[in-house]
Amino acid sequence: MGLIEAMRKGSGSDSKIVYDYDSSGEQPWVTTSLDFLVNWGRANSLWPMPFGTACCAIEFMASAASHYDLARFGMERMSFSPRQSDVLICAGRVPFKLAPVLRRIYQQMHQPKWVISMGACASSGGMFDSYAVVQGIDTIIPVDVYVPGCPPRPEGLIYGIMMLQKKIREERMERGELREELAPDPSSQLYIPPSRIDELSEPFGNSVHQTRSAP
Amino acid sequence: MAATKTIEVALSTTGLTADGKPMRVPLGAEGLMSAPPGIEPELQGEHMLINIGPQHPATHGVLRLVLELDGETVVRCIPHVGYLHCGFEKIGEYRQYNQIIPWTDREDYLNSMGNNCAYVLGAERLFGIEITERCKVLRVIAMELSRIISHLVWLGTTCIDIGAFTPFLWSFQERENVYKLLEGWTGARLTTSGTRVGGMIADVPDGWVEGLRGFLDRFPKTLDQVDRMLTKNAIWVGRTVGLGVMSPEEALNYGLSGPMLRASGVAYDVRKDFPYLDYETYDFDVPVGTNGDVYDRFLVRQEELRQSVRILEQALKRLPDGPVNVDDPRIILPPKHKATSEMESMIHHFKLVMEGPRPPIGETYVPIESPKGEKGYYFVSDGTAKPVRWRIRPPSYVNLSAIPKMVEGHLLSDVIAINASIDIVMGEIDR
Amino acid sequence: MSEHLTQDHAAPAFAIVYPGQPGDAPATPKQVPHKGGAVNPSVAALRAKFGPVIGRHDVVWNETTVFVQRDKVAEVCAWLQSDPAQSYEYLSDVTAVEYRDAVRPIEVVWHLRSIKFRRFLRLKTELPKAGKTPLEVPSVWGVWKGADWLERECYDMFGIKFTGHPDLRRILMWEQYKEGFPLRKDFPMRGRFSRSEQLKNALSANPEARYSMEELSIADAFEDLPHDMRKRIGGGERTGE
């Protein structure tokens, strides 16, 4: 959540963000009932747009095949066209050469849309701390669910999908800012400020020592 | 000695001529090309540019093809790769020899165990290590298992591209069985990192061999099912025969390897011609095609699956007892229980992990027969613990470079079948 | 059930060929010596044919490396491929090596394979880093078509020009990648620019203008483009590729 918040702050958006739905207050009966109905429909018929690039795409295919069977979640209809899809599943590493493509695909999707970042590489760059790889797709597009793993098991992906369904069920139509499109800063094309991107993609842990060549 | 078998292919469905060739309706290719110039001159010579990819379900990843079309006929194809370039070779220069192994999983991720074995074969040549007999047989098992799962992905995705969904489900069901075996052995389904320089990550667990035997009993039945469903299926034959033909000379000149080269009639298999891991002592055949088209590539890969089963059965029969890792403290870590209880072993462990084993100065290129073709790792060492250069010879990169030649003059829909027949893995192509 | 489903499985209709003769079956190399194995007989033939063009040779781990004069590589390769006694019909790899040494020259490496005689030969040529010699070698594309993408990759990663290559463009990185040649030793692993700058450069590429000029010209589509796009691409801007 913190990252989306940072993105919104960085983009200069004035909209107030309320992350926790205040359940103690009085809620209008009609909208809550309608919310329930709409969210029930949305959560159980997510059409995925598989943006599979690397190893995670194979595990995604395994999830979609007969053993794990994504069709149980209303996801049997793989939508390879971004226009007819609800959730972008970014499975695999995203190099800089692919970054504008991913951004364009996200922009082509219609609201409401969600993003699952599958695997370590899509979420953080993973083990590819090199000159060519985007250090986390959340520097390009907003992400709803991160699924860790290299690659995640199909159970992991399914858990991520169930988390997304849970998130969808808690959406309220009166919070219009949820479906607000963020426009990237035209001078930099970035959603979040450059200093924040540099900070996010600093090497961490063991990676710091492994940028040295031979001893 | 060439033992030639000729089998009469009796095709049951219509749409095929008596000699088994599909009856093709000259829709685009012949029709448009030979149209007299007087008729509708404004339609002549107007070419269209079609872009496929980088995000497209039939490009098996993030390949991008720009096609110049005359009607529906491909006049020229310009492929663009690099959308998955992650800098493997650069990263390898910053890692010790054992630390590179996880990257080899992720480069041709359909054949991760095979890559692990190929990588350490090269590294062991560089270090001058002879591995143990049990390790050799275990590696043969690992490599043939990954050949099976790689060909199964090829089969499933190609069938989807051509319009058959069921073989995809069958092949992924069989992959799950292999995944279970690999997971029991290495702890991971896909990214196994199953080898170490001088041995394996672990010996196979108890009951594993029986599990593999059970798989080998069941798997040929699935192959028979696929065979019955596809080999003489009129739709399948009609969509694959005569497409993307490469003559043997062209195939060699374009540097094709693996099933692509063998489908063209060149019996070059690294396992037979430049053997490693005692492959010359296993009894298996190298299937070779005659026409070099998409259908022959399918037949070759299908037969390779059967031959892999044969090799696995022989390997299980001969699997000797004994240690898996070489007895060389300069390379192999001490056992974990010793490293946590004895001072000397702990220091030994620390030195090996922090400094890394150092090979002598030299260079080596060790090729193996990966499911895609000749895959080689080229190492250059300057005596330090990290390689100066770690080069991957990517078979599907070279195979893909022939696609402009193969799709020329075919219909747009055939481009998908031809592209699928190359069995590309973008992780390996772009590295 | 239709008829073909009930048929027995029959072996496919292609020849099964056992490569090689039983007498000279190749075997897995055992106890490979570090230095001083058998020299590939092609080296002597090369020396007899080309004389001073062929430099030193050495045998490491049973693989023979021959150094060839820089500008004669294509001739040597053409002879190796076409001569029936050599018959190196297969090009495995083209790559380059740069050492962690400021003076040691960059080496371009060709891995050749003779399937007929089951031989493996490594050709090398040296390109000094400093000095007047340009980073240029002749292309072997005329000998093996398979060299096409391998040479393009070598150019992309090291900046080595292959003269005579028909289409020497960057292949893995995009065309106006500004940071340099990634596999050179002076190139840092995380690239020269900061992450935000790299991302900014990547995202400023317009995915709609990713066709190259030659692609647009073969399609005769340039005139039909919108005015702004025509101006942008015609002005030499080439995003993406």
Side-chain angles (χ1 to χ4, degrees):
Chain A
M1 281 311 119
L3 194 55
I4 293 178
E5 191 175 11
M7 284 183 171
R8 285 177 193 273
K9 275 186 187 152
S11 69
S13 161
D14 294 328
S15 59
K16 276 194 178 172
I17 299 153
V18 187
Y19 284 113
D20 296 317
Y21 172 59
D22 183 13
S23 55
S24 62
E26 282 289 309
Q27 294 301 325
W29 184 84
V30 174
T31 49
T32 43
S33 306
L34 207 55
D35 273 340
F36 174 79
L37 189 67
V38 168
N39 291 339
W40 172 80
R42 281 178 179 169
N44 291 310
S45 68
L46 286 170
W47 285 3
M49 151 85 213
F51 188 77
T53 57
C55 339
C56 289
I58 304 297
E59 282 298 65
F60 179 79
M61 279 155 71
S63 318
S66 44
H67 195 84
Y68 291 96
D69 196 10
L70 273 186
R72 295 177 290 160
F73 300 90
M75 298 181 95
E76 74 270 43
R77 196 238 182 230
M78 294 294 147
S79 180
F80 287 100
S81 151
R83 295 282 189 209
Q84 285 93 33
S85 58
D86 301 311
V87 50
L88 175 69
I89 298 182
C90 182
R93 41 199 193 246
V94 179
F96 287 116
K97 195 171 177 180
L98 203 57
V101 180
L102 178 62
R103 162 78 67 86
R104 172 56 58 97
I105 284 172
Y106 177 76
Q107 286 170 342
Q108 282 174 337
M109 289 168 68
H110 288 299
Q111 291 286 5
K113 57 185 174 186
W114 297 274
V115 178
I116 293 179
S117 159
M118 179 182 179
C121 299
S123 303
S124 71
M127 61 202 283
F128 294 94
D129 193 8
S130 75
Y131 57 90
V133 180
V134 175
Q135 300 297 302
I137 59 164
D138 47 13
T139 54
I140 314 173
I141 55 175
V143 176
D144 292 282
V145 177
Y146 300 85
V147 183
C150 191
R153 293 179 58 96
E155 291 95 329
L157 178 64
I158 288 171
Y159 184 61
I161 290 167
M162 285 159 68
M163 280 174 81
L164 182 65
Q165 288 182 328
K166 198 175 159 201
K167 181 175 179 177
I168 294 170
R169 279 192 211 103
E170 285 166 10
E171 284 183 2
R172 295 290 175 265
M173 64 170 67
E174 61 197 34
R175 281 169 56 202
E177 77 273 4
L178 269 182
R179 302 270 71 88
E180 219 172 59
E181 286 272 351
L182 297 172
D185 176 9
S187 67
S188 73
Q189 297 274 323
L190 301 173
Y191 284 116
I192 42 182
S195 57
R196 184 92 175 103
I197 287 181
D198 286 341
E199 195 188 325
L200 282 172
S201 45
E202 273 295 296
F204 58 91
N206 210 10
S207 179
V208 181
H209 305 288
Q210 288 182 338
T211 48
R212 286 197 299 258
S213 189
Chain B
M1 285 289 104
T4 310
K5 281 190 210 168
T6 43
I7 276 85
E8 205 174 292
V9 184
L11 289 148
S12 54
T13 13
T14 52
L16 298 143
T17 56
D19 55 344
K21 295 275 157 46
M23 284 193 276
R24 307 211 107 206
V25 186
L27 277 178
E30 294 88 342
L32 265 181
M33 292 286 197
S34 59
I39 299 169
E40 294 192 78
E42 69 273 16
L43 290 182
Q44 294 291 315
E46 188 177 317
H47 287 189
M48 189 166 43
L49 209 62
I50 285 238
N51 178 62
I52 302 179
Q55 199 283 318
H56 187 275
T59 53
H60 297 211
V62 282
L63 169 67
R64 175 166 173 246
L65 298 171
V66 178
L67 300 166
E68 183 189 3
L69 297 182
D70 181 351
E72 253 191 287
T73 312
V74 178
V75 179
R76 191 171 149 183
C77 165
I78 304 175
H80 296 277
V81 297
Y83 286 95
L84 200 56
H85 176 65
C86 297
F88 280 78
E89 291 171 8
K90 186 76 178 174
I91 293 173
E93 293 168 14
Y94 292 78
R95 299 286 187 276
Q96 296 165 9
Y97 286 89
N98 268 329
Q99 289 174 342
I100 296 177
I101 292 173
W103 271 269
T104 62
D105 298 335
R106 285 152 182 88
E107 142 239 320
D108 175 359
Y109 37 82
L110 302 180
N111 178 36
S112 23
M113 203 69 172
N115 289 343
N116 298 156
C117 296
Y119 171 82
V120 290
L121 276 178
E124 279 152 7
R125 175 78 58 82
L126 196 66
F127 278 87
I129 303 173
E130 291 285 325
I131 55 170
T132 61
E133 286 302 314
R134 183 173 173 85
C135 185
K136 275 183 194 167
V137 181
L138 284 179
R139 282 189 188 169
V140 168
I141 292 175
M143 288 176 120
E144 294 306 319
L145 268 183
S146 40
R147 188 184 318 279
I148 286 177
I149 58 174
S150 172
H151 279 354
L152 282 177
V153 169
W154 171 82
L155 184 73
T157 51
T158 304
C159 286
I160 289 187
D161 286 352
I162 294 184
F165 192 70
T166 319
F168 168 77
L169 297 176
W170 288 346
S171 58
F172 268 75
Q173 197 60 41
E174 288 296 341
R175 273 178 70 87
E176 287 294 332
N177 296 334
V178 181
Y179 274 162
K180 272 178 208 146
L181 290 170
L182 289 181
E183 197 176 7
W185 187 2
T186 66
R189 287 156 56 89
L190 193 64
T191 45
T192 46
S193 301
T195 55
R196 295 290 179 269
V197 178
M200 306 294 286
I201 183 175
D203 203 339
V204 290
D206 290 342
W208 195 88
V209 172
E210 287 69 39
L212 179 56
R213 258 194 208 112
F215 170 73
L216 292 181
D217 287 342
R218 291 187 305 270
F219 180 56
K221 297 194 182 80
T222 308
L223 281 182
D224 289 347
Q225 271 182 319
V226 173
D227 187 46
R228 276 209 300 279
M229 184 162 190
L230 295 179
T231 309
K232 292 173 192 170
N233 184 325
I235 302 171
W236 181 261
V237 173
R239 285 214 60 184
T240 52
V241 168
L243 296 184
V245 177
M246 292 292 274
S247 71
E249 295 77 26
E250 281 169 351
L252 271 177
N253 201 261
Y254 274 89
L256 303 190
S257 51
M260 294 284 291
L261 183 61
R262 289 193 287 273
S264 294
V266 182
Y268 170 54
D269 187 318
V270 185
R271 292 175 293 177
K272 288 276 187 197
D273 290 342
F274 297 89
Y276 49 93
L277 291 175
D278 292 337
Y279 261 110
E280 73 274 14
T281 59
Y282 293 85
D283 179 26
F284 65 100
D285 299 327
V286 177
V288 176
T290 43
N291 301 322
D293 57 2
V294 177
Y295 185 65
D296 271 15
R297 288 169 202 151
F298 158 71
L299 290 180
V300 165
R301 289 201 176 96
Q302 200 188 23
E303 185 61 26
E304 276 188 10
L305 283 169
R306 294 183 193 283
Q307 299 299 333
S308 287
V309 173
R310 271 180 77 188
I311 297 174
L312 281 170
E313 278 164 356
Q314 294 170 47
L316 277 185
K317 254 181 220 147
R318 70 165 71 169
L319 183 63
D321 290 331
V324 177
N325 292 347
V326 294
D327 183 20
D328 189 344
R330 291 171 306 159
I331 309 283
I332 295 292
L333 292 175
K336 193 81 181 170
H337 65 92
K338 278 193 179 176
T340 50
S341 60
E342 290 174 18
M343 195 61 191
E344 289 76 17
S345 297
M346 200 184 90
I347 295 170
H348 176 202
H349 187 282
F350 180 81
K351 294 276 275 185
L352 263 189
V353 170
M354 296 308 289
E355 289 173 4
R358 284 157 197 265
I361 295 174
E363 57 191 313
T364 186
Y365 171 79
V366 178
I368 63 135
E369 183 69 29
S370 97
K372 321 283 179 304
E374 178 192 322
K375 163 155 231 158
Y377 288 103
Y378 173 50
F379 295 90
V380 182
S381 153
D382 61 352
T384 56
K386 296 171 181 177
V388 170
R389 178 97 171 88
W390 169 54
R391 157 83 180 158
I392 306 160
R393 194 270 176 188
S396 45
Y397 180 76
V398 186
N399 287 353
L400 181 68
S401 72
I403 196 175
K405 162 92 181 113
M406 281 189 275
V407 302
E408 220 170 72
H410 288 296
L411 299 185
L412 176 60
S413 56
D414 296 339
V415 172
I416 302 300
I418 294 169
N419 179 42
S421 76
I422 305 175
D423 191 11
I424 54 171
V425 175
M426 293 317 287
E428 180 184 76
I429 289 172
D430 296 341
R431 298 178 311 278
Chain C
M1 195 184 272
S2 64
E3 192 191 334
H4 70 281
L5 281 178
T6 56
Q7 285 173 358
D8 285 341
H9 156 248
F14 54 78
I16 290 181
V17 181
Y18 303 92
Q21 306 299 320
D24 63 349
T28 306
K30 300 264 162 63
Q31 306 290 343
V32 184
H34 181 201
K35 294 258 162 84
V39 184
N40 188 326
S42 302
V43 178
L46 274 173
R47 284 199 197 288
K49 170 84 181 165
F50 289 98
V53 170
I54 308 299
R56 67 178 196 274
H57 72 271
D58 40 38
V59 182
V60 181
W61 300 119
N62 255 356
E63 290 162 12
T64 310
T65 308
V66 192
F67 284 81
V68 182
Q69 197 179 307
R70 185 176 69 91
D71 45 354
K72 293 281 190 276
V73 171
E75 281 171 46
V76 170
C77 285
W79 182 75
L80 280 174
Q81 194 237 16
S82 58
D83 190 70
Q86 308 304 325
S87 182
Y88 284 90
E89 64 274 82
Y90 192 78
L91 175 74
S92 276
D93 204 359
V94 179
T95 186
V97 182
E98 186 183 357
Y99 291 87
R100 298 186 186 106
D101 187 323
V103 245
R104 191 161 172 185
I106 296 178
E107 291 171 350
V108 187
V109 184
W110 290 265
H111 287 152
L112 316 185
R113 191 179 288 287
S114 162
I115 294 174
K116 193 170 163 194
F117 299 111
R118 295 210 177 91
R119 281 184 200 157
F120 176 77
L121 184 66
R122 178 181 298 134
L123 292 189
K124 272 191 179 183
T125 191
E126 291 184 327
L127 305 174
K129 280 195 229 182
K132 285 180 193 143
T133 327
L135 283 182
E136 270 186 18
V137 284
S139 164
V140 296
W141 179 82
V143 186
W144 300 281
K145 294 279 184 293
D148 183 354
W149 282 19
L150 294 169
E151 287 178 352
R152 273 178 72 185
E153 188 195 342
C154 201
Y155 165 68
D156 190 358
M157 292 288 127
F158 287 92
I160 296 165
K161 289 207 170 61
F162 289 83
T163 48
H165 189 286
D167 184 22
L168 198 66
R169 291 178 285 136
R170 299 198 86 138
I171 184 163
L172 296 178
M173 309 310 287
W174 54 102
E175 243 178 49
Q176 61 294 77
Y177 182 67
K178 296 182 189 125
E179 296 180 48
F181 301 106
L183 281 180
R184 298 289 293 272
K185 290 289 184 224
D186 55 358
F187 188 93
M189 190 171 82
R190 292 165 63 82
R192 286 192 208 283
F193 299 165
S194 73
R195 288 298 189 198
S196 57
E197 210 167 342
Q198 289 173 339
L199 203 57
K200 195 173 135 189
N201 285 339
L203 287 175
S204 65
N206 181 358
E208 267 171 28
R210 290 176 89 85
Y211 296 99
S212 57
M213 269 307 277
E214 55 264 47
E215 282 163 356
L216 290 169
S217 61
I218 55 171
D220 246 355
F222 188 67
E223 293 306 315
D224 302 336
L225 291 177
H227 173 69
D228 58 327
M229 199 169 160
R230 202 159 55 205
K231 195 174 156 202
R232 196 170 59 231
I233 298 172
E237 185 199 343
R238 292 172 61 172
T239 49
E241 295 319 305

